[in-house]
Amino acid sequence: MLTKEQVIALIKEALEAEAITESSSADNVPEWDSLGHLNILSMLDTATNGGIADLTDLAKANSVNKILAILASRSLLMR
Amino acid sequence: MQLSITSVGVALGSKVVTNEDLSEQNPDLDLAAITAKTGTVRRLSSPQESALELASRAATQILAEADKSSVDCLIAVTSTSDLRFPGVACLLQHKLGLRTSVFAFDVNLGCSGFVYAYITLGALTLAGVVKRPLLVCTDTYTRFIASNDRAARPIFSDAAAAMLFSPDEGMTIIDYDVGTDGGGGYDLMLRGIPPNPEDVANGGTTRMDLHMDGAKVLMFTLSKVPASVRKVLTRQGLNPEDISHFIFHQASKIVLDNLQRNLKIPEDRLFRNLEKFGNTVSCTIPICLKDLIDGKQLRPGSLLLLCGFGVGLSWATCLIRVGRMP
């Protein structure tokens, strides 16, 4: 399981963005484009040891909040 | 099922497109970042050679030293057929001068197509339906990709690969697993009106375009491929260390890296040649096999695990034991 802070740090690293917060999304982070999103999915897959394999909703989850919600729904996020 | 490779021919797109070329066409592309994730530094396009012509070039290489009158089956794997119909296999039969009694048909699949076709040929030879099959994979995606398509433009290449087989103990299909999820079919599609062959020959524009939802296709890959590979390994009581070479469809670096990590494949067992050729769709696996054969890296007793995945969406895994060197 990941903490919220770990997920945010992961997204920041995946996007090579200067700052990522809970309110970050593809709408307000220039680096969050289609390739950036692939990086996020790839790193989440590694960080969860393949745990996101069936979370198809993540393909369209273009914000930190959406990602956190999906991970929480499958008990991949520590409360 | 026994089906050995006796010879392999490859025809690559004649025009090399480097990162610098892409950069000139798209100045706002961060090529360094894209290359780091896709792993492709050059692509091969064939702006004026159709899928049929590439296929003919690849097949002619190997038929030059074979008795083509003995070829009794021709399968063409392509998702970029020149025409809606007739298929590439029918036109290729005539172009190659094969006998008219040949069992010829197309398989309209992409990146899983070679493995699907190989398993199909294994079954046909086991049933005694065919004895000397010729399998040709051919795809020309680059002409359908917009120059500013950041996801697809950097990775795809055009190529054809032809393989002649014989049903002997040189290679044995030990196990396989296949699957299809058409629910994701529209996430990777070629839509529009096929170009006329003469338009292709003149390098004319096309009214078709490739659509790929990269994130959905990646999630499909992460979901289905490891499970399929594990199913075959578990059934055979094998671990990744028992496999001499994992030959995955060379989709992109990000995909191969994730599959390697997910399946815990030792670095030296995962075959890669993405940098040299890019993603040649149905041809990636046969081109990998040719590289292994030419590099004399196949030994009697080697276990090969092939896995193709993509268009359909579909996937196919196949475990092969090498009996003798092709």
Side-chain angles (χ1 to χ4, degrees):
Chain A
M1 282 211 288
L2 301 172
T3 64
K4 182 172 70 178
E5 290 73 23
Q6 284 174 322
V7 174
I8 291 174
L10 181 152
I11 294 172
K12 180 173 183 292
E13 184 184 342
L15 299 178
E16 294 182 5
E18 287 207 8
I20 295 291
T21 66
E22 274 191 73
S23 61
S24 296
S25 74
D27 293 332
N28 55 36
V29 177
E31 295 88 348
W32 201 325
D33 56 14
S34 56
L35 195 59
H37 196 62
L38 289 184
N39 291 346
I40 292 172
L41 297 177
S42 169
M43 290 184 68
L44 278 174
D45 184 65
T46 302
T48 59
N49 205 24
I52 67 161
D54 295 322
L55 301 183
T56 53
D57 286 350
L58 282 174
K60 288 298 180 197
N62 57 357
S63 72
V64 172
N65 276 331
K66 285 180 186 173
I67 290 174
L68 291 173
I70 293 169
L71 293 176
S73 72
R74 296 294 281 266
S75 303
L76 288 170
L77 189 72
M78 275 188 222
R79 296 206 174 275
Chain B
M1 294 186 281
Q2 294 181 330
L3 195 62
S4 303
I5 301 170
T6 56
S7 52
V8 188
V10 171
L12 301 172
S14 50
K15 183 178 171 193
V16 178
V17 180
T18 62
N19 277 354
E20 290 68 35
D21 296 326
L22 281 190
S23 230
E24 269 183 38
Q25 294 166 14
N26 299 278
D28 60 334
L29 277 189
D30 183 352
L31 259 302
I34 290 174
T35 301
K37 291 302 170 186
T38 63
T40 311
V41 295
R42 65 175 211 153
R43 308 104 196 120
L44 306 156
S45 79
S46 94
Q48 288 168 297
E49 254 185 314
S50 65
L52 171 64
E53 283 160 348
L54 277 176
S56 176
R57 191 149 61 87
T60 299
Q61 288 174 25
I62 56 178
L63 291 179
E65 294 180 14
D67 173 17
K68 64 180 177 184
S69 68
S70 68
V71 174
D72 58 2
C73 177
L74 169 60
I75 292 183
V77 176
T78 183
S79 47
T80 51
S81 182
D82 302 39
L83 303 166
R84 288 291 174 100
F85 62 83
V88 167
C90 295
L91 298 172
L92 194 55
Q93 173 276 330
H94 175 70
K95 212 166 168 64
L96 296 176
L98 302 179
R99 65 194 207 205
T100 56
S101 58
V102 70
F103 199 90
F105 59 97
D106 280 15
V107 169
N108 183 356
L109 284 172
C111 318
S112 62
F114 172 80
V115 182
Y116 261 93
Y118 182 64
I119 294 168
T120 301
L121 284 173
L124 287 173
T125 51
L126 182 65
V129 174
V130 303
K131 292 187 176 57
R132 190 83 163 123
L134 172 63
L135 169 57
V136 184
C137 299
T138 180
D139 276 305
T140 54
Y141 271 38
T142 65
R143 64 170 55 90
F144 305 119
I145 300 172
S147 60
N148 61 354
D149 186 330
R150 302 184 67 228
R153 192 75 182 88
I155 64 174
F156 285 107
S157 279
D158 302 334
M163 280 189 174
L164 203 50
F165 295 98
S166 65
D168 60 46
E169 72 283 359
M171 279 182 165
T172 303
I173 300 171
I174 299 170
D175 201 348
Y176 64 88
D177 176 68
V178 299
T180 302
D181 178 7
Y186 294 122
D187 295 333
L188 181 53
M189 62 177 170
L190 188 59
R191 54 193 175 188
I193 303 167
N196 293 322
E198 49 271 24
D199 290 338
V200 171
N202 294 333
T205 55
T206 178
R207 291 168 293 172
M208 300 192 83
D209 69 282
L210 178 77
H211 166 73
M212 181 173 69
D213 186 322
K216 286 187 175 178
V217 174
L218 178 62
M219 291 305 294
F220 150 77
T221 303
L222 296 178
S223 169
K224 301 300 183 192
V225 173
S228 178
V229 171
R230 285 194 185 102
K231 187 190 286 188
V232 169
L233 290 178
T234 301
R235 268 202 304 244
Q236 298 300 320
L238 296 169
N239 294 310
E241 295 76 20
D242 299 318
I243 305 299
S244 309
H245 300 283
F246 284 86
I247 305 169
F248 289 111
H249 161 57
Q250 304 285 292
S252 70
K253 183 176 184 298
I254 195 173
V255 167
L256 294 178
D257 286 349
N258 269 72
L259 289 175
Q260 181 179 6
R261 268 193 298 268
N262 197 309
L263 290 163
K264 298 182 176 46
I265 297 173
E267 178 69 38
D268 62 339
R269 304 296 175 95
L270 179 63
F271 190 81
R272 298 175 191 247
N273 64 6
L274 184 62
E275 269 199 16
K276 279 198 293 184
F277 302 110
N279 179 338
T280 55
V281 194
S282 61
C283 300
T284 65
I285 293 176
I287 290 177
C288 286
L289 285 168
K290 183 176 192 320
D291 268 2
L292 283 168
I293 292 168
D294 289 349
K296 300 195 188 319
Q297 294 183 60
L298 298 186
R299 310 257 182 277
S302 293
L303 285 175
L304 310 178
L305 189 137
L306 279 50
C307 184
F309 44 90
V311 171
L313 299 169
S314 76
W315 63 98
T317 299
C318 181
L319 182 65
I320 299 169
R321 177 178 293 114
V322 176
R324 61 168 165 72
M325 306 266 265

